[in-house]
Amino acid sequence: MPGSRRSQRQRAVAELRAQGRHGPELRDVLPAFVGLGLAAAGPALFLLWLYRALGVGGLALGAALLAAATAVGVRWRRALARRRGGVYTPAELGVLDEHGLVAATERMLQRDGWHVIAMPDEGRPRLYARDRGGRQLDVAFRPADEAVDEGAPAGPAPLRKAGGPGADRLIRVVVSRGSYSRTDVLWASRQGGVHLVDGRQLQRWAAGTSLDELGLPG
Protein backbone atom coordinates (compact mmCIF):
# COMPACT_ATOMS: atom_id res chain seq x y z
CA MET A 1 0.00 0.00 0.00
CA PRO A 2 1.17 3.55 -0.71
CA GLY A 3 1.06 4.52 2.95
CA SER A 4 3.08 1.54 4.07
CA ARG A 5 5.63 2.08 1.29
CA ARG A 6 6.05 5.69 2.33
CA SER A 7 6.54 4.74 5.95
CA GLN A 8 9.04 2.04 4.97
CA ARG A 9 10.99 4.54 2.91
CA GLN A 10 10.98 7.02 5.79
CA ARG A 11 12.28 4.36 8.17
CA ALA A 12 14.99 3.36 5.70
CA VAL A 13 16.07 6.98 5.25
CA ALA A 14 16.10 7.48 9.03
CA GLU A 15 18.31 4.40 9.49
CA LEU A 16 20.72 5.53 6.77
CA ARG A 17 20.91 9.01 8.25
CA ALA A 18 21.60 7.56 11.70
CA GLN A 19 24.46 5.53 10.21
CA GLY A 20 25.81 8.57 8.40
CA ARG A 21 25.26 6.93 5.02
CA HIS A 22 22.41 9.07 3.78
CA GLY A 23 23.35 11.79 1.32
CA PRO A 24 22.76 15.51 1.90
CA GLU A 25 19.27 16.96 1.54
CA LEU A 26 18.30 19.75 -0.81
CA ARG A 27 18.60 22.41 1.89
CA ASP A 28 22.18 21.28 2.49
CA VAL A 29 23.30 21.63 -1.11
CA LEU A 30 21.08 24.52 -2.21
CA PRO A 31 23.50 27.30 -1.11
CA ALA A 32 26.31 25.66 -3.09
CA PHE A 33 24.10 25.38 -6.19
CA VAL A 34 23.04 29.02 -5.82
CA GLY A 35 26.68 30.12 -5.49
CA LEU A 36 27.66 28.05 -8.52
CA GLY A 37 24.82 29.56 -10.52
CA LEU A 38 25.80 33.10 -9.57
CA ALA A 39 29.45 32.39 -10.43
CA ALA A 40 28.41 31.17 -13.87
CA ALA A 41 25.81 33.88 -14.49
CA GLY A 42 27.88 36.80 -13.17
CA PRO A 43 30.40 36.97 -16.04
CA ALA A 44 27.64 36.50 -18.61
CA LEU A 45 25.63 39.37 -17.11
CA PHE A 46 28.79 41.50 -16.99
CA LEU A 47 29.48 40.88 -20.68
CA LEU A 48 25.85 41.59 -21.57
CA TRP A 49 25.96 44.90 -19.69
CA LEU A 50 29.18 45.94 -21.46
CA TYR A 51 27.74 44.94 -24.83
CA ARG A 52 24.65 47.04 -24.28
CA ALA A 53 26.70 49.98 -23.01
CA LEU A 54 29.65 49.91 -25.42
CA GLY A 55 28.72 47.56 -28.20
CA VAL A 56 31.13 45.03 -29.68
CA GLY A 57 34.13 46.94 -28.29
CA GLY A 58 32.74 46.62 -24.79
CA LEU A 59 32.18 42.90 -25.33
CA ALA A 60 35.81 42.47 -26.41
CA LEU A 61 37.02 44.54 -23.46
CA GLY A 62 34.96 42.48 -21.04
CA ALA A 63 36.26 39.21 -22.48
CA ALA A 64 39.84 40.46 -22.12
CA LEU A 65 39.23 41.51 -18.52
CA LEU A 66 37.67 38.16 -17.65
CA ALA A 67 40.54 36.29 -19.29
CA ALA A 68 43.07 38.35 -17.31
CA ALA A 69 41.18 37.82 -14.06
CA THR A 70 41.01 34.09 -14.73
CA ALA A 71 44.76 33.93 -15.41
CA VAL A 72 45.51 35.81 -12.19
CA GLY A 73 43.19 33.53 -10.23
CA VAL A 74 44.83 30.40 -11.65
CA ARG A 75 48.32 31.69 -10.80
CA TRP A 76 47.19 32.63 -7.29
CA ARG A 77 45.69 29.18 -6.67
CA ARG A 78 48.81 27.47 -7.99
CA ALA A 79 51.04 29.62 -5.76
CA LEU A 80 48.82 28.87 -2.77
CA ALA A 81 48.98 25.13 -3.47
CA ARG A 82 52.76 25.36 -3.91
CA ARG A 83 53.21 27.13 -0.56
CA ARG A 84 50.93 24.64 1.16
CA GLY A 85 53.22 21.95 -0.23
CA GLY A 86 56.22 23.61 1.40
CA VAL A 87 57.80 25.36 -1.60
CA TYR A 88 58.48 29.12 -1.44
CA THR A 89 60.22 31.64 -3.66
CA PRO A 90 62.87 33.99 -2.18
CA ALA A 91 60.44 36.89 -2.57
CA GLU A 92 57.75 35.01 -0.63
CA LEU A 93 60.22 34.21 2.15
CA GLY A 94 61.25 37.86 2.29
CA VAL A 95 57.77 39.13 3.19
CA LEU A 96 57.07 36.57 5.93
CA ASP A 97 56.89 37.75 9.52
CA GLU A 98 58.11 35.56 12.39
CA HIS A 99 54.92 33.51 12.56
CA GLY A 100 54.85 33.14 8.79
CA LEU A 101 58.44 31.85 8.78
CA VAL A 102 57.56 29.30 11.46
CA ALA A 103 54.54 28.12 9.43
CA ALA A 104 56.68 27.91 6.27
CA THR A 105 59.34 25.89 8.11
CA GLU A 106 56.68 23.52 9.41
CA ARG A 107 55.39 22.94 5.88
CA MET A 108 58.91 22.43 4.56
CA LEU A 109 59.61 19.83 7.22
CA GLN A 110 56.35 18.05 6.43
CA ARG A 111 57.30 18.14 2.74
CA ASP A 112 60.54 16.35 3.65
CA GLY A 113 58.64 13.64 5.54
CA TRP A 114 58.87 14.93 9.13
CA HIS A 115 55.99 14.82 11.60
CA VAL A 116 55.95 18.27 13.21
CA ILE A 117 54.59 19.57 16.51
CA ALA A 118 54.66 23.26 17.47
CA MET A 119 55.86 23.73 21.06
CA PRO A 120 56.70 27.37 21.86
CA ASP A 121 59.35 27.91 24.52
CA GLU A 122 58.93 30.92 26.83
CA GLY A 123 57.05 32.80 24.13
CA ARG A 124 59.57 32.03 21.39
CA PRO A 125 58.52 29.84 18.46
CA ARG A 126 59.87 26.30 18.47
CA LEU A 127 59.13 23.15 16.48
CA TYR A 128 59.76 19.52 17.32
CA ALA A 129 59.85 16.99 14.53
CA ARG A 130 60.39 13.27 14.03
CA ASP A 131 61.00 11.33 10.84
CA ARG A 132 60.28 7.70 9.97
CA GLY A 133 63.79 6.70 10.97
CA GLY A 134 63.27 7.94 14.52
CA ARG A 135 65.42 11.08 14.23
CA GLN A 136 64.18 14.02 16.27
CA LEU A 137 64.63 17.71 15.58
CA ASP A 138 64.46 20.67 17.93
CA VAL A 139 63.96 23.65 15.58
CA ALA A 140 64.49 27.16 16.95
CA PHE A 141 64.43 30.51 15.17
CA ARG A 142 66.74 33.49 15.42
CA PRO A 143 65.62 36.80 13.96
CA ALA A 144 68.02 38.19 11.38
CA ASP A 145 68.59 41.33 13.46
CA GLU A 146 70.01 39.19 16.27
CA ALA A 147 72.97 38.12 14.15
CA VAL A 148 76.31 38.58 15.93
CA ASP A 149 79.05 40.45 14.07
CA GLU A 150 82.27 38.53 13.65
CA GLY A 151 84.71 39.35 16.45
CA ALA A 152 82.03 40.87 18.70
CA PRO A 153 83.02 40.47 22.39
CA ALA A 154 79.50 39.37 23.38
CA GLY A 155 79.95 36.10 21.52
CA PRO A 156 77.04 33.99 20.19
CA ALA A 157 74.68 34.52 23.13
CA PRO A 158 71.59 35.07 20.90
CA LEU A 159 72.41 31.80 19.17
CA ARG A 160 72.59 29.92 22.47
CA LYS A 161 69.24 31.40 23.40
CA ALA A 162 67.74 30.30 20.07
CA GLY A 163 69.29 26.85 20.17
CA GLY A 164 68.76 26.30 23.86
CA PRO A 165 69.86 23.25 25.82
CA GLY A 166 68.59 20.16 24.00
CA ALA A 167 68.56 16.51 24.95
CA ASP A 168 71.37 14.41 23.52
CA ARG A 169 69.00 12.50 21.25
CA LEU A 170 67.82 15.70 19.56
CA ILE A 171 69.35 17.31 16.51
CA ARG A 172 69.13 21.03 17.17
CA VAL A 173 68.41 23.23 14.14
CA VAL A 174 68.55 27.04 14.28
CA VAL A 175 66.84 28.85 11.40
CA SER A 176 67.56 32.45 10.48
CA ARG A 177 66.94 34.59 7.41
CA GLY A 178 70.16 36.39 8.18
CA SER A 179 73.74 35.16 8.30
CA TYR A 180 75.87 33.59 11.02
CA SER A 181 79.20 34.96 12.12
CA ARG A 182 82.36 32.91 12.38
CA THR A 183 81.88 32.97 16.15
CA ASP A 184 78.43 31.45 15.73
CA VAL A 185 79.69 28.70 13.44
CA LEU A 186 82.58 27.80 15.76
CA TRP A 187 80.27 27.70 18.76
CA ALA A 188 77.79 25.43 16.94
CA SER A 189 80.55 23.10 15.75
CA ARG A 190 81.74 22.61 19.33
CA GLN A 191 78.28 21.72 20.59
CA GLY A 192 77.72 18.68 18.37
CA GLY A 193 74.29 18.01 16.88
CA VAL A 194 73.63 21.69 16.10
CA HIS A 195 72.80 22.59 12.49
CA LEU A 196 72.65 26.23 11.42
CA VAL A 197 70.37 27.24 8.54
CA ASP A 198 71.17 30.73 7.29
CA GLY A 199 69.28 32.83 4.78
CA ARG A 200 71.00 31.34 1.75
CA GLN A 201 70.39 27.75 2.88
CA LEU A 202 66.84 28.66 3.83
CA GLN A 203 66.15 29.76 0.26
CA ARG A 204 67.52 26.46 -1.09
CA TRP A 205 65.44 24.52 1.42
CA ALA A 206 62.33 26.49 0.50
CA ALA A 207 62.97 25.88 -3.21
CA GLY A 208 62.75 22.11 -2.74
CA THR A 209 66.15 20.96 -1.50
CA SER A 210 65.69 18.64 1.47
CA LEU A 211 67.11 19.43 4.90
CA ASP A 212 69.27 16.30 4.65
CA GLU A 213 70.80 17.61 1.42
CA LEU A 214 71.72 20.79 3.30
CA GLY A 215 73.94 18.74 5.60
CA LEU A 216 71.62 17.79 8.46
CA PRO A 217 73.53 15.44 10.79
CA GLY A 218 72.36 11.84 10.66
PDB file of all heavy atoms in Angstrom, residues 74-104:
ATOM      1  N   VAL A  74      44.153  31.700 -11.498  1.00  0.00           N
ATOM      2  CA  VAL A  74      44.829  30.405 -11.650  1.00  0.00           C
ATOM      3  C   VAL A  74      46.232  30.466 -11.054  1.00  0.00           C
ATOM      4  O   VAL A  74      46.660  29.549 -10.335  1.00  0.00           O
ATOM      5  CB  VAL A  74      44.873  29.998 -13.133  1.00  0.00           C
ATOM      6  CG1 VAL A  74      45.807  28.813 -13.343  1.00  0.00           C
ATOM      7  CG2 VAL A  74      43.471  29.655 -13.629  1.00  0.00           C
ATOM      8  N   ARG A  75      46.972  31.554 -11.351  1.00  0.00           N
ATOM      9  CA  ARG A  75      48.321  31.691 -10.798  1.00  0.00           C
ATOM     10  C   ARG A  75      48.283  31.776  -9.282  1.00  0.00           C
ATOM     11  O   ARG A  75      49.144  31.209  -8.599  1.00  0.00           O
ATOM     12  CB  ARG A  75      49.008  32.931 -11.383  1.00  0.00           C
ATOM     13  CG  ARG A  75      49.483  32.751 -12.817  1.00  0.00           C
ATOM     14  CD  ARG A  75      50.494  33.823 -13.186  1.00  0.00           C
ATOM     15  NE  ARG A  75      49.899  35.147 -13.127  1.00  0.00           N
ATOM     16  CZ  ARG A  75      49.323  35.748 -14.160  1.00  0.00           C
ATOM     17  NH1 ARG A  75      49.253  35.136 -15.324  1.00  0.00           N
ATOM     18  NH2 ARG A  75      48.824  36.961 -14.037  1.00  0.00           N
ATOM     19  N   TRP A  76      47.298  32.500  -8.741  1.00  0.00           N
ATOM     20  CA  TRP A  76      47.190  32.630  -7.285  1.00  0.00           C
ATOM     21  C   TRP A  76      46.902  31.280  -6.636  1.00  0.00           C
ATOM     22  O   TRP A  76      47.496  30.941  -5.611  1.00  0.00           O
ATOM     23  CB  TRP A  76      46.081  33.626  -6.953  1.00  0.00           C
ATOM     24  CG  TRP A  76      45.910  33.833  -5.479  1.00  0.00           C
ATOM     25  CD1 TRP A  76      46.644  34.657  -4.664  1.00  0.00           C
ATOM     26  CD2 TRP A  76      44.941  33.195  -4.642  1.00  0.00           C
ATOM     27  NE1 TRP A  76      46.194  34.570  -3.372  1.00  0.00           N
ATOM     28  CE2 TRP A  76      45.145  33.688  -3.329  1.00  0.00           C
ATOM     29  CE3 TRP A  76      43.919  32.276  -4.865  1.00  0.00           C
ATOM     30  CZ2 TRP A  76      44.370  33.271  -2.255  1.00  0.00           C
ATOM     31  CZ3 TRP A  76      43.149  31.868  -3.799  1.00  0.00           C
ATOM     32  CH2 TRP A  76      43.370  32.357  -2.510  1.00  0.00           C
ATOM     33  N   ARG A  77      46.007  30.497  -7.235  1.00  0.00           N
ATOM     34  CA  ARG A  77      45.685  29.178  -6.666  1.00  0.00           C
ATOM     35  C   ARG A  77      46.882  28.247  -6.754  1.00  0.00           C
ATOM     36  O   ARG A  77      47.147  27.473  -5.827  1.00  0.00           O
ATOM     37  CB  ARG A  77      44.481  28.571  -7.388  1.00  0.00           C
ATOM     38  CG  ARG A  77      43.150  29.217  -7.022  1.00  0.00           C
ATOM     39  CD  ARG A  77      41.983  28.347  -7.462  1.00  0.00           C
ATOM     40  NE  ARG A  77      41.946  28.186  -8.907  1.00  0.00           N
ATOM     41  CZ  ARG A  77      41.300  28.992  -9.730  1.00  0.00           C
ATOM     42  NH1 ARG A  77      40.642  30.043  -9.243  1.00  0.00           N
ATOM     43  NH2 ARG A  77      41.299  28.780 -11.033  1.00  0.00           N
ATOM     44  N   ARG A  78      47.623  28.313  -7.858  1.00  0.00           N
ATOM     45  CA  ARG A  78      48.815  27.469  -7.985  1.00  0.00           C
ATOM     46  C   ARG A  78      49.872  27.859  -6.962  1.00  0.00           C
ATOM     47  O   ARG A  78      50.522  26.992  -6.367  1.00  0.00           O
ATOM     48  CB  ARG A  78      49.378  27.580  -9.400  1.00  0.00           C
ATOM     49  CG  ARG A  78      48.543  26.860 -10.452  1.00  0.00           C
ATOM     50  CD  ARG A  78      49.134  27.050 -11.827  1.00  0.00           C
ATOM     51  NE  ARG A  78      48.378  26.314 -12.841  1.00  0.00           N
ATOM     52  CZ  ARG A  78      48.600  26.396 -14.142  1.00  0.00           C
ATOM     53  NH1 ARG A  78      49.576  27.196 -14.592  1.00  0.00           N
ATOM     54  NH2 ARG A  78      47.867  25.698 -14.994  1.00  0.00           N
ATOM     55  N   ALA A  79      50.066  29.167  -6.754  1.00  0.00           N
ATOM     56  CA  ALA A  79      51.040  29.616  -5.762  1.00  0.00           C
ATOM     57  C   ALA A  79      50.616  29.196  -4.360  1.00  0.00           C
ATOM     58  O   ALA A  79      51.452  28.787  -3.540  1.00  0.00           O
ATOM     59  CB  ALA A  79      51.197  31.139  -5.836  1.00  0.00           C
ATOM     60  N   LEU A  80      49.317  29.283  -4.078  1.00  0.00           N
ATOM     61  CA  LEU A  80      48.818  28.869  -2.772  1.00  0.00           C
ATOM     62  C   LEU A  80      49.047  27.377  -2.559  1.00  0.00           C
ATOM     63  O   LEU A  80      49.507  26.951  -1.489  1.00  0.00           O
ATOM     64  CB  LEU A  80      47.334  29.207  -2.655  1.00  0.00           C
ATOM     65  CG  LEU A  80      46.653  28.845  -1.328  1.00  0.00           C
ATOM     66  CD1 LEU A  80      47.308  29.600  -0.181  1.00  0.00           C
ATOM     67  CD2 LEU A  80      45.159  29.148  -1.389  1.00  0.00           C
ATOM     68  N   ALA A  81      48.757  26.577  -3.582  1.00  0.00           N
ATOM     69  CA  ALA A  81      48.975  25.131  -3.473  1.00  0.00           C
ATOM     70  C   ALA A  81      50.462  24.818  -3.322  1.00  0.00           C
ATOM     71  O   ALA A  81      50.843  23.919  -2.563  1.00  0.00           O
ATOM     72  CB  ALA A  81      48.414  24.429  -4.707  1.00  0.00           C
ATOM     73  N   ARG A  82      51.312  25.574  -4.023  1.00  0.00           N
ATOM     74  CA  ARG A  82      52.762  25.355  -3.907  1.00  0.00           C
ATOM     75  C   ARG A  82      53.248  25.660  -2.502  1.00  0.00           C
ATOM     76  O   ARG A  82      54.025  24.890  -1.914  1.00  0.00           O
ATOM     77  CB  ARG A  82      53.483  26.233  -4.937  1.00  0.00           C
ATOM     78  CG  ARG A  82      54.990  26.215  -4.806  1.00  0.00           C
ATOM     79  CD  ARG A  82      55.658  26.977  -5.931  1.00  0.00           C
ATOM     80  NE  ARG A  82      55.088  28.295  -6.155  1.00  0.00           N
ATOM     81  CZ  ARG A  82      55.311  29.356  -5.388  1.00  0.00           C
ATOM     82  NH1 ARG A  82      56.082  29.237  -4.320  1.00  0.00           N
ATOM     83  NH2 ARG A  82      54.767  30.519  -5.679  1.00  0.00           N
ATOM     84  N   ARG A  83      52.779  26.772  -1.926  1.00  0.00           N
ATOM     85  CA  ARG A  83      53.207  27.128  -0.563  1.00  0.00           C
ATOM     86  C   ARG A  83      52.682  26.125   0.453  1.00  0.00           C
ATOM     87  O   ARG A  83      53.388  25.776   1.408  1.00  0.00           O
ATOM     88  CB  ARG A  83      52.732  28.542  -0.216  1.00  0.00           C
ATOM     89  CG  ARG A  83      53.468  29.634  -0.989  1.00  0.00           C
ATOM     90  CD  ARG A  83      53.190  31.003  -0.403  1.00  0.00           C
ATOM     91  NE  ARG A  83      51.789  31.376  -0.535  1.00  0.00           N
ATOM     92  CZ  ARG A  83      51.284  32.047  -1.553  1.00  0.00           C
ATOM     93  NH1 ARG A  83      52.079  32.399  -2.566  1.00  0.00           N
ATOM     94  NH2 ARG A  83      50.001  32.369  -1.594  1.00  0.00           N
ATOM     95  N   ARG A  84      51.457  25.663   0.254  1.00  0.00           N
ATOM     96  CA  ARG A  84      50.934  24.640   1.163  1.00  0.00           C
ATOM     97  C   ARG A  84      51.745  23.360   1.088  1.00  0.00           C
ATOM     98  O   ARG A  84      51.819  22.608   2.064  1.00  0.00           O
ATOM     99  CB  ARG A  84      49.468  24.353   0.835  1.00  0.00           C
ATOM    100  CG  ARG A  84      48.518  25.454   1.289  1.00  0.00           C
ATOM    101  CD  ARG A  84      47.090  25.140   0.881  1.00  0.00           C
ATOM    102  NE  ARG A  84      46.162  26.141   1.396  1.00  0.00           N
ATOM    103  CZ  ARG A  84      44.872  26.187   1.083  1.00  0.00           C
ATOM    104  NH1 ARG A  84      44.363  25.279   0.239  1.00  0.00           N
ATOM    105  NH2 ARG A  84      44.094  27.124   1.590  1.00  0.00           N
ATOM    106  N   GLY A  85      52.363  23.117  -0.068  1.00  0.00           N
ATOM    107  CA  GLY A  85      53.217  21.949  -0.229  1.00  0.00           C
ATOM    108  C   GLY A  85      54.635  22.176   0.268  1.00  0.00           C
ATOM    109  O   GLY A  85      55.478  21.282   0.146  1.00  0.00           O
ATOM    110  N   GLY A  86      54.916  23.359   0.822  1.00  0.00           N
ATOM    111  CA  GLY A  86      56.222  23.613   1.402  1.00  0.00           C
ATOM    112  C   GLY A  86      57.267  24.117   0.439  1.00  0.00           C
ATOM    113  O   GLY A  86      58.465  23.920   0.665  1.00  0.00           O
ATOM    114  N   VAL A  87      56.861  24.800  -0.627  1.00  0.00           N
ATOM    115  CA  VAL A  87      57.801  25.362  -1.595  1.00  0.00           C
ATOM    116  C   VAL A  87      57.538  26.866  -1.692  1.00  0.00           C
ATOM    117  O   VAL A  87      56.416  27.285  -1.983  1.00  0.00           O
ATOM    118  CB  VAL A  87      57.665  24.699  -2.981  1.00  0.00           C
ATOM    119  CG1 VAL A  87      58.626  25.329  -3.972  1.00  0.00           C
ATOM    120  CG2 VAL A  87      57.924  23.196  -2.881  1.00  0.00           C
ATOM    121  N   TYR A  88      58.603  27.671  -1.463  1.00  0.00           N
ATOM    122  CA  TYR A  88      58.477  29.125  -1.440  1.00  0.00           C
ATOM    123  C   TYR A  88      59.559  29.749  -2.315  1.00  0.00           C
ATOM    124  O   TYR A  88      60.675  29.226  -2.413  1.00  0.00           O
ATOM    125  CB  TYR A  88      58.638  29.667  -0.009  1.00  0.00           C
ATOM    126  CG  TYR A  88      57.525  29.301   0.940  1.00  0.00           C
ATOM    127  CD1 TYR A  88      57.455  28.026   1.498  1.00  0.00           C
ATOM    128  CD2 TYR A  88      56.542  30.221   1.285  1.00  0.00           C
ATOM    129  CE1 TYR A  88      56.436  27.681   2.377  1.00  0.00           C
ATOM    130  CE2 TYR A  88      55.526  29.892   2.164  1.00  0.00           C
ATOM    131  CZ  TYR A  88      55.475  28.620   2.696  1.00  0.00           C
ATOM    132  OH  TYR A  88      54.463  28.273   3.560  1.00  0.00           O
ATOM    133  N   THR A  89      59.224  30.870  -2.912  1.00  0.00           N
ATOM    134  CA  THR A  89      60.221  31.639  -3.657  1.00  0.00           C
ATOM    135  C   THR A  89      60.964  32.555  -2.680  1.00  0.00           C
ATOM    136  O   THR A  89      60.470  32.840  -1.577  1.00  0.00           O
ATOM    137  CB  THR A  89      59.551  32.488  -4.736  1.00  0.00           C
ATOM    138  OG1 THR A  89      58.718  33.492  -4.102  1.00  0.00           O
ATOM    139  CG2 THR A  89      58.680  31.632  -5.653  1.00  0.00           C
ATOM    140  N   PRO A  90      62.156  33.043  -3.049  1.00  0.00           N
ATOM    141  CA  PRO A  90      62.867  33.990  -2.178  1.00  0.00           C
ATOM    142  C   PRO A  90      62.029  35.224  -1.847  1.00  0.00           C
ATOM    143  O   PRO A  90      62.077  35.725  -0.717  1.00  0.00           O
ATOM    144  CB  PRO A  90      64.112  34.347  -2.992  1.00  0.00           C
ATOM    145  CG  PRO A  90      64.356  33.150  -3.848  1.00  0.00           C
ATOM    146  CD  PRO A  90      62.978  32.642  -4.212  1.00  0.00           C
ATOM    147  N   ALA A  91      61.275  35.721  -2.827  1.00  0.00           N
ATOM    148  CA  ALA A  91      60.436  36.892  -2.572  1.00  0.00           C
ATOM    149  C   ALA A  91      59.362  36.581  -1.531  1.00  0.00           C
ATOM    150  O   ALA A  91      59.055  37.411  -0.670  1.00  0.00           O
ATOM    151  CB  ALA A  91      59.796  37.363  -3.872  1.00  0.00           C
ATOM    152  N   GLU A  92      58.781  35.391  -1.600  1.00  0.00           N
ATOM    153  CA  GLU A  92      57.752  35.014  -0.633  1.00  0.00           C
ATOM    154  C   GLU A  92      58.347  34.857   0.757  1.00  0.00           C
ATOM    155  O   GLU A  92      57.721  35.245   1.752  1.00  0.00           O
ATOM    156  CB  GLU A  92      57.075  33.717  -1.081  1.00  0.00           C
ATOM    157  CG  GLU A  92      56.191  33.894  -2.311  1.00  0.00           C
ATOM    158  CD  GLU A  92      55.743  32.567  -2.916  1.00  0.00           C
ATOM    159  OE1 GLU A  92      56.356  31.526  -2.601  1.00  0.00           O
ATOM    160  OE2 GLU A  92      54.794  32.581  -3.714  1.00  0.00           O
ATOM    161  N   LEU A  93      59.554  34.313   0.842  1.00  0.00           N
ATOM    162  CA  LEU A  93      60.216  34.214   2.146  1.00  0.00           C
ATOM    163  C   LEU A  93      60.497  35.600   2.722  1.00  0.00           C
ATOM    164  O   LEU A  93      60.382  35.816   3.933  1.00  0.00           O
ATOM    165  CB  LEU A  93      61.527  33.449   2.021  1.00  0.00           C
ATOM    166  CG  LEU A  93      61.474  31.933   1.865  1.00  0.00           C
ATOM    167  CD1 LEU A  93      62.885  31.385   1.697  1.00  0.00           C
ATOM    168  CD2 LEU A  93      60.792  31.269   3.055  1.00  0.00           C
ATOM    169  N   GLY A  94      60.854  36.536   1.841  1.00  0.00           N
ATOM    170  CA  GLY A  94      61.248  37.859   2.294  1.00  0.00           C
ATOM    171  C   GLY A  94      60.138  38.651   2.950  1.00  0.00           C
ATOM    172  O   GLY A  94      60.425  39.551   3.752  1.00  0.00           O
ATOM    173  N   VAL A  95      58.883  38.358   2.635  1.00  0.00           N
ATOM    174  CA  VAL A  95      57.773  39.134   3.194  1.00  0.00           C
ATOM    175  C   VAL A  95      57.137  38.448   4.399  1.00  0.00           C
ATOM    176  O   VAL A  95      56.182  38.977   4.979  1.00  0.00           O
ATOM    177  CB  VAL A  95      56.690  39.391   2.123  1.00  0.00           C
ATOM    178  CG1 VAL A  95      57.265  40.195   0.976  1.00  0.00           C
ATOM    179  CG2 VAL A  95      56.096  38.080   1.603  1.00  0.00           C
ATOM    180  N   LEU A  96      57.650  37.281   4.801  1.00  0.00           N
ATOM    181  CA  LEU A  96      57.067  36.572   5.930  1.00  0.00           C
ATOM    182  C   LEU A  96      57.482  37.217   7.248  1.00  0.00           C
ATOM    183  O   LEU A  96      58.640  37.602   7.429  1.00  0.00           O
ATOM    184  CB  LEU A  96      57.508  35.104   5.935  1.00  0.00           C
ATOM    185  CG  LEU A  96      57.040  34.224   4.770  1.00  0.00           C
ATOM    186  CD1 LEU A  96      57.643  32.831   4.893  1.00  0.00           C
ATOM    187  CD2 LEU A  96      55.514  34.134   4.739  1.00  0.00           C
ATOM    188  N   ASP A  97      56.534  37.336   8.173  1.00  0.00           N
ATOM    189  CA  ASP A  97      56.895  37.746   9.523  1.00  0.00           C
ATOM    190  C   ASP A  97      57.357  36.517  10.304  1.00  0.00           C
ATOM    191  O   ASP A  97      57.521  35.430   9.738  1.00  0.00           O
ATOM    192  CB  ASP A  97      55.716  38.439  10.216  1.00  0.00           C
ATOM    193  CG  ASP A  97      54.466  37.555  10.301  1.00  0.00           C
ATOM    194  OD1 ASP A  97      54.563  36.337  10.032  1.00  0.00           O
ATOM    195  OD2 ASP A  97      53.393  38.076  10.656  1.00  0.00           O
ATOM    196  N   GLU A  98      57.585  36.670  11.589  1.00  0.00           N
ATOM    197  CA  GLU A  98      58.113  35.556  12.390  1.00  0.00           C
ATOM    198  C   GLU A  98      57.178  34.355  12.361  1.00  0.00           C
ATOM    199  O   GLU A  98      57.610  33.214  12.154  1.00  0.00           O
ATOM    200  CB  GLU A  98      58.337  36.005  13.834  1.00  0.00           C
ATOM    201  CG  GLU A  98      58.963  34.926  14.718  1.00  0.00           C
ATOM    202  CD  GLU A  98      59.145  35.391  16.144  1.00  0.00           C
ATOM    203  OE1 GLU A  98      58.156  35.868  16.753  1.00  0.00           O
ATOM    204  OE2 GLU A  98      60.269  35.277  16.660  1.00  0.00           O
ATOM    205  N   HIS A  99      55.878  34.605  12.566  1.00  0.00           N
ATOM    206  CA  HIS A  99      54.917  33.505  12.563  1.00  0.00           C
ATOM    207  C   HIS A  99      54.811  32.873  11.184  1.00  0.00           C
ATOM    208  O   HIS A  99      54.655  31.653  11.063  1.00  0.00           O
ATOM    209  CB  HIS A  99      53.547  34.008  13.033  1.00  0.00           C
ATOM    210  CG  HIS A  99      53.539  34.496  14.453  1.00  0.00           C
ATOM    211  ND1 HIS A  99      53.689  33.647  15.539  1.00  0.00           N
ATOM    212  CD2 HIS A  99      53.413  35.747  14.962  1.00  0.00           C
ATOM    213  CE1 HIS A  99      53.651  34.356  16.660  1.00  0.00           C
ATOM    214  NE2 HIS A  99      53.494  35.631  16.335  1.00  0.00           N
ATOM    215  N   GLY A 100      54.896  33.688  10.139  1.00  0.00           N
ATOM    216  CA  GLY A 100      54.852  33.142   8.787  1.00  0.00           C
ATOM    217  C   GLY A 100      56.056  32.267   8.486  1.00  0.00           C
ATOM    218  O   GLY A 100      55.933  31.227   7.830  1.00  0.00           O
ATOM    219  N   LEU A 101      57.243  32.659   8.985  1.00  0.00           N
ATOM    220  CA  LEU A 101      58.441  31.853   8.784  1.00  0.00           C
ATOM    221  C   LEU A 101      58.321  30.518   9.515  1.00  0.00           C
ATOM    222  O   LEU A 101      58.736  29.484   8.989  1.00  0.00           O
ATOM    223  CB  LEU A 101      59.675  32.617   9.265  1.00  0.00           C
ATOM    224  CG  LEU A 101      61.002  31.873   9.141  1.00  0.00           C
ATOM    225  CD1 LEU A 101      61.296  31.511   7.695  1.00  0.00           C
ATOM    226  CD2 LEU A 101      62.144  32.711   9.728  1.00  0.00           C
ATOM    227  N   VAL A 102      57.758  30.545  10.708  1.00  0.00           N
ATOM    228  CA  VAL A 102      57.563  29.297  11.455  1.00  0.00           C
ATOM    229  C   VAL A 102      56.610  28.371  10.698  1.00  0.00           C
ATOM    230  O   VAL A 102      56.866  27.166  10.554  1.00  0.00           O
ATOM    231  CB  VAL A 102      57.017  29.591  12.869  1.00  0.00           C
ATOM    232  CG1 VAL A 102      56.684  28.288  13.594  1.00  0.00           C
ATOM    233  CG2 VAL A 102      58.030  30.391  13.670  1.00  0.00           C
ATOM    234  N   ALA A 103      55.504  28.938  10.185  1.00  0.00           N
ATOM    235  CA  ALA A 103      54.541  28.124   9.426  1.00  0.00           C
ATOM    236  C   ALA A 103      55.180  27.565   8.164  1.00  0.00           C
ATOM    237  O   ALA A 103      54.964  26.398   7.798  1.00  0.00           O
ATOM    238  CB  ALA A 103      53.307  28.955   9.076  1.00  0.00           C
ATOM    239  N   ALA A 104      56.003  28.380   7.470  1.00  0.00           N
ATOM    240  CA  ALA A 104      56.680  27.910   6.267  1.00  0.00           C
ATOM    241  C   ALA A 104      57.657  26.788   6.600  1.00  0.00           C
ATOM    242  O   ALA A 104      57.738  25.779   5.887  1.00  0.00           O
ATOM    243  CB  ALA A 104      57.412  29.069   5.595  1.00  0.00           C
TER     244      ALA A 104
END
